[in-house]
Amino acid sequence: MTTIQRRLGDAPPTDMLDPAERMSVDELRALQLERLRWTLRHAYEHVAHYRRAFDAHGVHPDDCRELADIARFPTTSKADLRENYPFGLFAVPQDQVRRIHASSGTTGKPTVVGYTEGDIDRWAGLVARSIRAAGGRPGHKVHNAYGYGLFTGGLGAHYGIEKLGATAIPVSGGMTPRQIQLIQDFAPEVIMLTPSYMLTLLDEFARQGIDPASTSLQVGIFGAEPWTEQMRSEIEERMDMHAVDIYGLSEVMGPGVSQECVETKDGLHIWEDHFLPEVVDPLDGVPLRDGEEGELLFTSLTKEALPIIRYRTRDLTRLLPGTARPSMRRMQKITGRSDDMIILRGVNLFPTQIEEIVLRTPGLAPHFQLELTTQGRMDALTVRVEARPDTTPERRGPASAELVTAVKDRIGVTVACEIVDPDSLERSVGKLQRVLDRRDR
């Protein structure tokens, strides 16, 4: 692991932790069961969709007598939220809803989520807990480059920063040269943004002739898209700061569902006092044991406006024992989603697998896109990846060949590779679109 020269990186003092972070496993499981039974009753009594779904499955909230009983209840999907658009899954009257967030809706109706005043306060507390676990402290300045608006990232992070007692710098995304200026002028200790946009900022530092390791930044908190250990190393080496993972999704709450602890960086501890995780087989939904990889499900335990029961995230991970927070399980770093998996000539692959190979190939920059096309009756994949600025023209051919060979050896599929000029691929100010599907349909 990269050696960080900054002084941050120690675990927070015990007296700084929330009471739930200090619970024993038995205390936590008892709290979870109490809150789970409340959530199931709340959803059944106040949301028609859940009442119909429970009845159709022949289950009732009173059937939940232990945590394992959650597997008897139906799952919830993004389609359920869209079918109940906009407010059909809300469990409280409109006059109790203090905020509404929504997805972009680029692939259909947006998914809409609501929050009571209590929901917002709990959310802020969980993001504050997450920032503290990442190395942030009261009094720090936090450069928040997550997008503000209907997306939960910007405001979710913002309220957590303030709840922690830190100073929020609400920059949002875009205006990349100005981001660099504000980092230079305001001297924040912490930055929050997507990992792909961090790479864009690194390019801008280089363009302006600024050594990114010379800035005040000591911790980067990255989320909203999968990223790899290789990308962590790239960011930590170039920035001389800790790079840690935060996880959340709007349907469950937003950022702050789980957080990687800076002192271990070994996966994300799930804040299990508020969210009950499960991992199931993504094909048949059968629950898997801790340690087995599958699709992540979440049931909220304290949400009032929009309780969510066994929500299918489509994220692939495994549940592991707690380390930095021993009573709370970790989720392995998300490496892909069941809905962004590419099936190419019978082989399953994920963009993060290609990313690992790109970052290990000398001469290639961490900016790439995957283009799917149809050649004859077969699907074809071209990896379009930028050369690093100091890569000579003579090095491009060997780098392309190395990548193609590595993909064949490690993933088992043949791809084409096109090395393009630096700064020629579209840069991200939010979630990066890695896959361009141009296949004939």
Short mmCIF file of all heavy atoms in Angstrom, two decimals, residues 387-434:
data_model
loop_
_atom_site.label_atom_id
_atom_site.label_comp_id
_atom_site.label_asym_id
_atom_site.label_seq_id
_atom_site.Cartn_x
_atom_site.Cartn_y
_atom_site.Cartn_z
N ALA A 387 -3.10 7.72 -24.12
CA ALA A 387 -1.69 7.61 -23.78
C ALA A 387 -1.36 8.67 -22.73
O ALA A 387 -2.00 9.72 -22.66
CB ALA A 387 -0.83 7.83 -25.03
N ARG A 388 -0.39 8.38 -21.90
CA ARG A 388 0.11 9.40 -20.99
C ARG A 388 0.87 10.46 -21.81
O ARG A 388 1.40 10.17 -22.88
CB ARG A 388 1.02 8.79 -19.93
CG ARG A 388 0.28 7.91 -18.93
CD ARG A 388 1.19 7.50 -17.78
NE ARG A 388 0.49 6.63 -16.84
CZ ARG A 388 -0.24 7.04 -15.81
NH1 ARG A 388 -0.36 8.35 -15.59
NH2 ARG A 388 -0.83 6.19 -15.00
N PRO A 389 0.93 11.69 -21.30
CA PRO A 389 1.58 12.76 -22.08
C PRO A 389 3.02 12.46 -22.46
O PRO A 389 3.50 12.90 -23.50
CB PRO A 389 1.49 13.97 -21.14
CG PRO A 389 0.29 13.70 -20.29
CD PRO A 389 0.29 12.21 -20.09
N ASP A 390 3.75 11.70 -21.62
CA ASP A 390 5.15 11.42 -21.92
C ASP A 390 5.37 10.13 -22.70
O ASP A 390 6.50 9.69 -22.91
CB ASP A 390 5.96 11.37 -20.62
CG ASP A 390 5.45 10.32 -19.63
OD1 ASP A 390 4.40 9.71 -19.92
OD2 ASP A 390 6.10 10.12 -18.59
N THR A 391 4.26 9.50 -23.14
CA THR A 391 4.38 8.27 -23.92
C THR A 391 4.77 8.59 -25.35
O THR A 391 4.08 9.37 -26.03
CB THR A 391 3.06 7.48 -23.89
OG1 THR A 391 2.73 7.14 -22.54
CG2 THR A 391 3.17 6.21 -24.71
N THR A 392 5.84 8.02 -25.83
CA THR A 392 6.29 8.28 -27.19
C THR A 392 5.40 7.55 -28.20
O THR A 392 4.77 6.53 -27.86
CB THR A 392 7.75 7.82 -27.38
OG1 THR A 392 7.81 6.40 -27.22
CG2 THR A 392 8.66 8.49 -26.36
N PRO A 393 5.35 8.02 -29.45
CA PRO A 393 4.57 7.32 -30.48
C PRO A 393 5.00 5.86 -30.63
O PRO A 393 4.18 4.98 -30.88
CB PRO A 393 4.84 8.13 -31.75
CG PRO A 393 5.17 9.51 -31.25
CD PRO A 393 5.91 9.29 -29.97
N GLU A 394 6.30 5.61 -30.45
CA GLU A 394 6.81 4.25 -30.62
C GLU A 394 6.30 3.32 -29.51
O GLU A 394 6.25 2.09 -29.69
CB GLU A 394 8.34 4.25 -30.62
CG GLU A 394 8.98 4.95 -31.81
CD GLU A 394 8.93 6.48 -31.68
OE1 GLU A 394 8.71 6.96 -30.53
OE2 GLU A 394 9.09 7.16 -32.71
N ARG A 395 5.93 3.87 -28.37
CA ARG A 395 5.48 3.04 -27.24
C ARG A 395 4.01 2.64 -27.38
O ARG A 395 3.57 1.66 -26.78
CB ARG A 395 5.68 3.84 -25.95
CG ARG A 395 5.09 3.24 -24.69
CD ARG A 395 5.69 1.91 -24.33
NE ARG A 395 4.91 1.23 -23.30
CZ ARG A 395 4.80 -0.07 -23.15
NH1 ARG A 395 5.43 -0.89 -23.98
NH2 ARG A 395 4.07 -0.59 -22.20
N ARG A 396 3.24 3.36 -28.21
CA ARG A 396 1.80 3.11 -28.27
C ARG A 396 1.48 1.71 -28.79
O ARG A 396 0.59 1.04 -28.25
CB ARG A 396 1.12 4.17 -29.15
CG ARG A 396 1.13 5.56 -28.54
CD ARG A 396 0.22 6.50 -29.29
NE ARG A 396 0.22 7.85 -28.74
CZ ARG A 396 -0.66 8.79 -29.03
NH1 ARG A 396 -1.62 8.51 -29.92
NH2 ARG A 396 -0.58 9.98 -28.50
N GLY A 397 2.14 1.28 -29.81
CA GLY A 397 1.87 -0.05 -30.36
C GLY A 397 2.11 -1.16 -29.35
O GLY A 397 1.24 -2.01 -29.12
N PRO A 398 3.29 -1.19 -28.72
CA PRO A 398 3.52 -2.22 -27.69
C PRO A 398 2.53 -2.13 -26.53
O PRO A 398 2.11 -3.17 -26.01
CB PRO A 398 4.95 -1.92 -27.23
CG PRO A 398 5.60 -1.27 -28.41
CD PRO A 398 4.52 -0.45 -29.05
N ALA A 399 2.16 -0.91 -26.12
CA ALA A 399 1.20 -0.79 -25.02
C ALA A 399 -0.15 -1.38 -25.40
O ALA A 399 -0.80 -2.06 -24.60
CB ALA A 399 1.05 0.68 -24.62
N SER A 400 -0.58 -1.13 -26.64
CA SER A 400 -1.83 -1.69 -27.11
C SER A 400 -1.78 -3.21 -27.11
O SER A 400 -2.71 -3.89 -26.66
CB SER A 400 -2.13 -1.17 -28.52
OG SER A 400 -3.29 -1.78 -29.05
N ALA A 401 -0.67 -3.75 -27.59
CA ALA A 401 -0.52 -5.21 -27.64
C ALA A 401 -0.50 -5.82 -26.24
O ALA A 401 -1.09 -6.88 -26.00
CB ALA A 401 0.76 -5.58 -28.40
N GLU A 402 0.16 -5.14 -25.31
CA GLU A 402 0.22 -5.63 -23.93
C GLU A 402 -1.18 -5.67 -23.31
O GLU A 402 -1.54 -6.63 -22.60
CB GLU A 402 1.14 -4.75 -23.09
CG GLU A 402 2.61 -4.91 -23.43
CD GLU A 402 3.48 -3.86 -22.75
OE1 GLU A 402 3.05 -3.33 -21.70
OE2 GLU A 402 4.57 -3.57 -23.27
N LEU A 403 -1.98 -4.65 -23.57
CA LEU A 403 -3.32 -4.61 -23.01
C LEU A 403 -4.18 -5.73 -23.59
O LEU A 403 -4.88 -6.42 -22.86
CB LEU A 403 -3.97 -3.25 -23.25
CG LEU A 403 -5.35 -3.04 -22.62
CD1 LEU A 403 -5.51 -1.62 -22.11
CD2 LEU A 403 -6.48 -3.37 -23.60
N VAL A 404 -4.12 -5.90 -24.90
CA VAL A 404 -4.92 -6.95 -25.55
C VAL A 404 -4.54 -8.32 -25.00
O VAL A 404 -5.40 -9.16 -24.70
CB VAL A 404 -4.73 -6.89 -27.08
CG1 VAL A 404 -5.33 -8.13 -27.75
CG2 VAL A 404 -5.38 -5.63 -27.64
N THR A 405 -3.24 -8.56 -24.84
CA THR A 405 -2.77 -9.84 -24.31
C THR A 405 -3.23 -10.05 -22.86
O THR A 405 -3.67 -11.14 -22.48
CB THR A 405 -1.24 -9.92 -24.37
OG1 THR A 405 -0.83 -9.81 -25.75
CG2 THR A 405 -0.72 -11.22 -23.79
N ALA A 406 -3.14 -8.98 -22.05
CA ALA A 406 -3.53 -9.09 -20.64
C ALA A 406 -5.03 -9.37 -20.51
O ALA A 406 -5.44 -10.17 -19.66
CB ALA A 406 -3.16 -7.81 -19.89
N VAL A 407 -5.83 -8.72 -21.34
CA VAL A 407 -7.27 -8.98 -21.29
C VAL A 407 -7.56 -10.42 -21.67
O VAL A 407 -8.38 -11.10 -21.03
CB VAL A 407 -8.03 -8.00 -22.22
CG1 VAL A 407 -9.51 -8.40 -22.34
CG2 VAL A 407 -7.93 -6.58 -21.69
N LYS A 408 -6.89 -10.91 -22.68
CA LYS A 408 -7.10 -12.31 -23.10
C LYS A 408 -6.67 -13.27 -22.00
O LYS A 408 -7.37 -14.25 -21.69
CB LYS A 408 -6.30 -12.57 -24.39
CG LYS A 408 -6.45 -14.00 -24.92
CD LYS A 408 -7.86 -14.29 -25.39
CE LYS A 408 -7.95 -15.64 -26.06
NZ LYS A 408 -9.34 -15.97 -26.48
N ASP A 409 -5.52 -13.00 -21.38
CA ASP A 409 -4.98 -13.90 -20.37
C ASP A 409 -5.80 -13.88 -19.08
O ASP A 409 -6.01 -14.93 -18.46
CB ASP A 409 -3.52 -13.54 -20.05
CG ASP A 409 -2.58 -13.85 -21.21
OD1 ASP A 409 -2.99 -14.60 -22.12
OD2 ASP A 409 -1.44 -13.34 -21.20
N ARG A 410 -6.23 -12.71 -18.66
CA ARG A 410 -6.85 -12.57 -17.34
C ARG A 410 -8.38 -12.69 -17.38
O ARG A 410 -8.99 -13.10 -16.39
CB ARG A 410 -6.46 -11.23 -16.71
CG ARG A 410 -4.96 -11.10 -16.47
CD ARG A 410 -4.58 -9.73 -15.97
NE ARG A 410 -3.13 -9.55 -16.02
CZ ARG A 410 -2.51 -8.39 -15.80
NH1 ARG A 410 -3.22 -7.33 -15.48
NH2 ARG A 410 -1.20 -8.32 -15.87
N ILE A 411 -8.99 -12.28 -18.50
CA ILE A 411 -10.45 -12.30 -18.57
C ILE A 411 -10.93 -13.38 -19.52
O ILE A 411 -12.03 -13.92 -19.36
CB ILE A 411 -11.00 -10.91 -18.98
CG1 ILE A 411 -10.49 -9.85 -18.00
CG2 ILE A 411 -12.52 -10.92 -19.01
CD1 ILE A 411 -10.90 -8.42 -18.36
N GLY A 412 -10.12 -13.71 -20.52
CA GLY A 412 -10.47 -14.80 -21.42
C GLY A 412 -11.25 -14.38 -22.64
O GLY A 412 -11.99 -15.20 -23.20
N VAL A 413 -11.10 -13.14 -23.08
CA VAL A 413 -11.82 -12.67 -24.25
C VAL A 413 -10.89 -11.80 -25.08
O VAL A 413 -9.97 -11.16 -24.55
CB VAL A 413 -13.08 -11.88 -23.83
CG1 VAL A 413 -12.71 -10.56 -23.18
CG2 VAL A 413 -14.02 -11.65 -25.01
N THR A 414 -11.11 -11.79 -26.39
CA THR A 414 -10.29 -11.00 -27.30
C THR A 414 -10.96 -9.65 -27.54
O THR A 414 -12.14 -9.59 -27.87
CB THR A 414 -10.10 -11.72 -28.64
OG1 THR A 414 -9.44 -12.98 -28.39
CG2 THR A 414 -9.27 -10.89 -29.60
N VAL A 415 -10.19 -8.58 -27.35
CA VAL A 415 -10.68 -7.22 -27.60
C VAL A 415 -9.70 -6.51 -28.52
O VAL A 415 -8.57 -6.95 -28.72
CB VAL A 415 -10.83 -6.42 -26.29
CG1 VAL A 415 -11.79 -7.12 -25.33
CG2 VAL A 415 -9.47 -6.19 -25.61
N ALA A 416 -10.17 -5.41 -29.09
CA ALA A 416 -9.29 -4.50 -29.81
C ALA A 416 -8.91 -3.36 -28.89
O ALA A 416 -9.61 -3.07 -27.91
CB ALA A 416 -9.98 -3.97 -31.06
N CYS A 417 -7.80 -2.71 -29.16
CA CYS A 417 -7.36 -1.58 -28.35
C CYS A 417 -6.93 -0.44 -29.26
O CYS A 417 -6.17 -0.64 -30.21
CB CYS A 417 -6.20 -1.99 -27.44
SG CYS A 417 -5.58 -0.63 -26.41
N GLU A 418 -7.44 0.74 -28.97
CA GLU A 418 -7.07 1.94 -29.71
C GLU A 418 -6.47 2.94 -28.72
O GLU A 418 -7.13 3.37 -27.78
CB GLU A 418 -8.30 2.55 -30.39
CG GLU A 418 -8.00 3.83 -31.15
CD GLU A 418 -9.26 4.48 -31.71
OE1 GLU A 418 -10.36 3.86 -31.60
OE2 GLU A 418 -9.16 5.61 -32.22
N ILE A 419 -5.21 3.28 -28.92
CA ILE A 419 -4.54 4.28 -28.08
C ILE A 419 -4.79 5.66 -28.70
O ILE A 419 -4.47 5.88 -29.86
CB ILE A 419 -3.03 4.02 -27.97
CG1 ILE A 419 -2.76 2.56 -27.58
CG2 ILE A 419 -2.41 4.99 -26.97
CD1 ILE A 419 -3.27 2.17 -26.24
N VAL A 420 -5.37 6.54 -27.91
CA VAL A 420 -5.71 7.87 -28.42
C VAL A 420 -4.86 8.91 -27.71
O VAL A 420 -4.20 8.63 -26.71
CB VAL A 420 -7.22 8.17 -28.23
CG1 VAL A 420 -8.07 7.15 -28.98
CG2 VAL A 420 -7.59 8.19 -26.76
N ASP A 421 -4.90 10.14 -28.22
CA ASP A 421 -4.08 11.21 -27.67
C ASP A 421 -4.53 11.60 -26.27
O ASP A 421 -5.72 11.45 -25.92
CB ASP A 421 -4.15 12.45 -28.57
CG ASP A 421 -3.47 12.23 -29.92
OD1 ASP A 421 -2.61 11.34 -30.00
OD2 ASP A 421 -3.83 12.95 -30.88
N PRO A 422 -3.62 12.14 -25.46
CA PRO A 422 -4.02 12.64 -24.15
C PRO A 422 -5.12 13.70 -24.27
O PRO A 422 -5.16 14.46 -25.25
CB PRO A 422 -2.73 13.25 -23.60
CG PRO A 422 -1.63 12.53 -24.32
CD PRO A 422 -2.16 12.26 -25.69
N ASP A 423 -6.02 13.71 -23.31
CA ASP A 423 -7.11 14.70 -23.22
C ASP A 423 -8.12 14.59 -24.36
O ASP A 423 -8.88 15.54 -24.59
CB ASP A 423 -6.55 16.14 -23.20
CG ASP A 423 -5.59 16.36 -22.06
OD1 ASP A 423 -5.85 15.84 -20.96
OD2 ASP A 423 -4.57 17.05 -22.26
N SER A 424 -8.18 13.46 -25.06
CA SER A 424 -9.10 13.37 -26.20
C SER A 424 -10.42 12.69 -25.85
O SER A 424 -11.39 12.81 -26.59
CB SER A 424 -8.43 12.63 -27.36
OG SER A 424 -8.06 11.33 -26.98
N LEU A 425 -10.47 11.97 -24.73
CA LEU A 425 -11.72 11.36 -24.30
C LEU A 425 -12.49 12.32 -23.41
O LEU A 425 -11.89 13.14 -22.71
CB LEU A 425 -11.46 10.05 -23.55
CG LEU A 425 -10.82 8.91 -24.35
CD1 LEU A 425 -10.61 7.70 -23.46
CD2 LEU A 425 -11.67 8.54 -25.55
N GLU A 426 -13.81 12.19 -23.44
CA GLU A 426 -14.64 13.08 -22.65
C GLU A 426 -14.33 12.93 -21.17
O GLU A 426 -14.21 11.83 -20.65
CB GLU A 426 -16.13 12.77 -22.89
CG GLU A 426 -17.08 13.67 -22.13
CD GLU A 426 -18.54 13.32 -22.39
OE1 GLU A 426 -18.78 12.41 -23.20
OE2 GLU A 426 -19.41 13.95 -21.77
N ARG A 427 -14.19 14.06 -20.49
CA ARG A 427 -13.90 14.05 -19.06
C ARG A 427 -15.18 14.04 -18.25
O ARG A 427 -16.22 14.53 -18.68
CB ARG A 427 -13.06 15.27 -18.67
CG ARG A 427 -11.63 15.22 -19.22
CD ARG A 427 -10.89 14.01 -18.65
NE ARG A 427 -9.47 14.02 -18.96
CZ ARG A 427 -8.91 13.38 -19.97
NH1 ARG A 427 -9.66 12.69 -20.80
NH2 ARG A 427 -7.61 13.42 -20.14
N SER A 428 -15.08 13.50 -17.04
CA SER A 428 -16.25 13.37 -16.18
C SER A 428 -16.30 14.49 -15.16
O SER A 428 -15.28 14.88 -14.60
CB SER A 428 -16.21 12.03 -15.45
OG SER A 428 -17.15 12.00 -14.40
N VAL A 429 -17.51 15.02 -14.91
CA VAL A 429 -17.74 15.90 -13.77
C VAL A 429 -18.72 15.24 -12.80
O VAL A 429 -19.18 15.85 -11.85
CB VAL A 429 -18.27 17.29 -14.21
CG1 VAL A 429 -17.24 18.01 -15.01
CG2 VAL A 429 -19.58 17.15 -14.99
N GLY A 430 -19.05 14.02 -13.06
CA GLY A 430 -19.95 13.25 -12.20
C GLY A 430 -19.66 11.79 -12.42
O GLY A 430 -18.51 11.38 -12.47
N LYS A 431 -20.69 10.99 -12.58
CA LYS A 431 -20.49 9.58 -12.87
C LYS A 431 -20.02 9.43 -14.31
O LYS A 431 -20.59 10.01 -15.23
CB LYS A 431 -21.79 8.81 -12.66
CG LYS A 431 -22.23 8.72 -11.21
CD LYS A 431 -23.41 7.79 -11.06
CE LYS A 431 -23.86 7.67 -9.62
NZ LYS A 431 -24.98 6.73 -9.45
N LEU A 432 -18.99 8.64 -14.50
CA LEU A 432 -18.40 8.48 -15.83
C LEU A 432 -19.13 7.39 -16.61
O LEU A 432 -19.44 6.33 -16.08
CB LEU A 432 -16.93 8.10 -15.69
CG LEU A 432 -16.13 7.95 -16.99
CD1 LEU A 432 -16.06 9.27 -17.72
CD2 LEU A 432 -14.74 7.45 -16.69
N GLN A 433 -19.43 7.68 -17.89
CA GLN A 433 -20.00 6.66 -18.76
C GLN A 433 -18.87 5.89 -19.41
O GLN A 433 -18.23 6.35 -20.35
CB GLN A 433 -20.90 7.30 -19.84
CG GLN A 433 -21.59 6.25 -20.71
CD GLN A 433 -22.46 6.86 -21.78
OE1 GLN A 433 -22.52 8.08 -21.92
NE2 GLN A 433 -23.13 6.03 -22.55
N ARG A 434 -18.61 4.70 -18.87
CA ARG A 434 -17.50 3.89 -19.36
C ARG A 434 -17.85 3.12 -20.62
O ARG A 434 -16.98 2.87 -21.46
CB ARG A 434 -17.09 2.89 -18.29
CG ARG A 434 -16.32 3.46 -17.11
CD ARG A 434 -14.92 3.83 -17.50
NE ARG A 434 -14.10 4.08 -16.33
CZ ARG A 434 -13.02 4.83 -16.35
NH1 ARG A 434 -12.65 5.41 -17.47
NH2 ARG A 434 -12.31 5.02 -15.26
#
